[in-house]
Amino acid sequence: MKTIGIDFGGTAIKLAVMEDGRIVNQTSIPAFARNGLKARLADTKQAVLKIAGDQGLKGVSCVGISMPGIVDPVRKRPVGLIGKYEDSLEMDLESWCREAFGLPMVMEMDSKLALLGELHYGCARGFQDAAMLILGTGVGTAVAYQGTVLKSRHYTAGALSSHIIIDINGPDCICSNRGCLESMASGWALERLVKQDPGYEKSGLSGEETLDFRVLQKWYERQDPAAVRVVRHCVKAWRTGILNLIHAYDPEAVVLSGGIMNFEGLYEMLSEGIQDDIWGCCGSVEIRKAKDPENSVLYGLHYLCGHPGV
Ligand SMILES: [Zn+2]
């Protein structure tokens, strides 16, 4: 089966042609997600046609769309987005796919897709009950029971665990609460974390134009004290998130994915010794790292195209 995957992320729009569980060709374009989705549709269409190559869309059966927020997969509409592509709440993307590509479309939330991708093509194959923590611009979560991603009346079950409050006096979050996991440690929280560190002025990080986890890794490896403190803080926050997922949902495995998982050594810092902090009756829980952390969502889109309604 040949499909097109479009992952509308917070920082980049990732696009791929996929066939029989493999990425055949892929590219990405900047998201400018705050400016809305409508403004990006023309470039998205052009990028899809470019990666489709000489064969065009011949043989492609479906377009899968991922959104960085809560999605109603039946109506194929996002229903909860904050600060990213907010205009898409009112858009009919199914019609756009018909007009732009002449193809049917499926839609789901990014974190649920990442979990689907890992369950069927990635590091969670063989597990039935699994949870996902996806570390990127924001933090995404999802939970599957008996091989199926949780469904609930407002599509939020398991999907809002990054807004579980881990510090009641913590920083403001985009969701209007404070001290949520995502506000304590995420791509968008990093600049604040670095700049409020007491050693920031003397740190190599103060000379950097952009602050992302690649830059943080560079200074962490040089043992820059501010960088080391920020990394330790993020690890503590994300380990708390992993424990919260385990204690709330009793999974056999927790999968860690998203671009930040390319940070060298992060998987070990998040997983080593964590079993000691889990309630004994939860049994042993596998902590796995996605094989291809940047592309878990695209694999999930490929699976969903072949199994709409899962
Ligand atoms: Zn929040």
Side-chain angles (χ1 to χ4, degrees):
M1 189 184 59
K2 199 171 171 185
T3 65
I4 300 287
I6 305 175
D7 174 9
F8 287 108
T11 308
I13 302 170
K14 294 179 192 164
L15 309 114
V17 178
M18 302 193 66
E19 191 163 15
D20 301 331
R22 290 179 308 111
I23 294 174
V24 177
N25 199 5
Q26 73 180 130
T27 189
S28 74
I29 59 175
F32 309 121
R34 286 195 175 278
N35 301 339
L37 189 65
K38 202 168 181 188
R40 301 304 288 138
L41 288 183
D43 283 357
T44 300
K45 178 182 171 181
Q46 207 174 30
V48 166
L49 296 177
K50 200 169 168 192
I51 56 170
D54 295 340
Q55 286 204 332
L57 297 172
K58 201 173 148 205
V60 175
S61 58
C62 176
V63 177
I65 290 185
S66 167
M67 297 300 295
I70 305 294
V71 165
D72 174 347
V74 179
R75 288 175 60 239
K76 301 178 186 176
R77 295 276 177 115
V79 292
L81 292 164
I82 303 173
K84 301 172 199 163
Y85 310 116
E86 285 183 358
D87 60 341
S88 67
L89 296 167
E90 307 298 327
M91 285 167 63
D92 179 1
L93 285 167
E94 192 168 31
S95 295
W96 174 71
C97 280
R98 286 249 175 244
E99 282 157 26
F101 311 117
L103 289 167
M105 175 271 258
V106 292
M107 183 190 284
E108 188 47 282
M109 180 182 189
D110 53 2
S111 55
K112 294 183 182 181
L113 289 160
L115 182 52
L116 265 186
E118 294 302 323
L119 278 171
H120 294 284
Y121 300 111
C123 70
R125 268 180 299 183
F127 292 112
Q128 293 291 304
D129 302 344
M132 163 66 72
L133 193 69
I134 183 164
L135 304 173
T137 313
V139 175
T141 65
V143 174
Y145 269 131
Q146 297 175 354
T148 306
V149 174
L150 277 190
K151 289 187 168 66
S152 66
R153 61 197 180 117
H154 296 118
Y155 317 102
T156 56
L160 288 181
S161 298
S162 62
H163 294 280
I164 289 178
I165 293 162
I166 60 171
D167 180 356
I168 56 170
N169 298 310
D172 289 341
C173 185
I174 53 168
C175 72
S176 84
N177 290 305
R178 44 190 314 170
C180 304
L181 173 65
E182 181 168 312
S183 73
M184 295 290 286
S186 64
W188 67 259
L190 181 63
E191 191 174 332
R192 191 199 68 243
L193 290 172
V194 167
K195 289 188 175 171
Q196 75 183 17
D197 186 274
Y200 172 66
E201 296 296 336
K202 286 185 186 162
S203 161
L205 288 161
S206 63
E208 295 286 352
E209 254 174 52
T210 48
L211 289 171
D212 58 25
F213 278 86
R214 253 180 286 249
V215 169
L216 185 64
Q217 166 126 48
K218 183 176 89 182
W219 291 102
Y220 177 76
E221 282 169 357
R222 294 176 190 180
Q223 291 295 298
D224 180 281
V228 170
R229 273 191 296 271
V230 170
V231 169
R232 283 190 186 144
H233 165 89
C234 290
V235 166
K236 207 169 169 185
W238 291 330
R239 275 176 76 109
T240 303
I242 295 168
L243 287 170
N244 284 344
L245 278 169
I246 292 168
H247 291 153
Y249 297 105
D250 191 17
E252 301 167 273
V254 176
V255 179
L256 307 173
S257 186
I260 293 175
M261 283 311 296
N262 287 322
F263 192 107
E264 197 78 27
L266 179 60
Y267 167 74
E268 288 75 14
M269 288 189 265
L270 291 175
S271 58
E272 276 169 11
I274 201 164
Q275 195 65 42
D276 297 340
D277 300 330
I278 300 170
W279 267 60
C281 60
C282 296
S284 94
V285 183
E286 288 273 336
I287 311 294
R288 295 272 174 104
K289 178 184 168 182
K291 217 188 293 177
D292 189 2
E294 299 270 10
N295 292 323
S296 301
V297 171
L298 290 171
Y299 284 102
L301 284 170
H302 185 58
Y303 183 81
L304 185 64
C305 279
H307 306 80
V310 293

